[in-house]
Amino acid sequence: MKKIPVKFAPLVFALLMSCVMVIIMSGFITALNTGINRAFFRRWLLAFISSWPVAFVCVFIFAGQIRKIVIRVCEPLKSLGSSKNS
């Protein structure tokens, strides 16, 4: 399988993350608001189609800034081979 060049990684990340999030959230919110019946999948698909472009743009724009905030508020990962007593 041919891989996508790394320069497209932010775009691929935004595409995949927004797609997974919108599938889950639109399905959950559609079921919560209208119930699950024969028309559920049609409503879910319409909710997905209308909300995915917005989610994609938001993830694409904000993912880098959110990563920077996470780095600032989280402790750095300690390497497996090091200890504080060394």
Side-chain angles (χ1 to χ4, degrees):
M1 179 170 102
K2 187 174 179 179
K3 291 192 176 187
I4 299 168
V6 73
K7 69 180 180 180
F8 296 111
L11 191 65
V12 172
F13 176 83
L15 178 95
L16 295 175
M17 177 59 89
S18 63
C19 189
V20 169
M21 254 182 60
V22 172
I23 286 171
I24 294 167
M25 294 304 298
S26 63
F28 177 76
I29 293 168
T30 300
L32 189 65
N33 287 335
T34 64
I36 298 175
N37 55 31
R38 291 170 49 177
F40 170 75
F41 288 105
R42 182 177 181 274
R43 290 190 312 269
W44 186 2
L45 179 62
L46 291 172
F48 172 80
I49 290 169
S50 63
S51 58
W52 179 77
V54 175
F56 172 75
V57 171
C58 289
V59 172
F60 187 71
I61 290 171
F62 295 112
Q65 293 150 343
I66 299 299
R67 277 190 205 103
K68 290 175 186 175
I69 293 169
V70 169
I71 289 168
R72 270 191 272 150
V73 300
C74 293
E75 292 183 9
L77 184 64
K78 298 188 181 7
S79 65
L80 297 174
S82 67
S83 68
K84 289 186 176 184
N85 297 334
S86 303

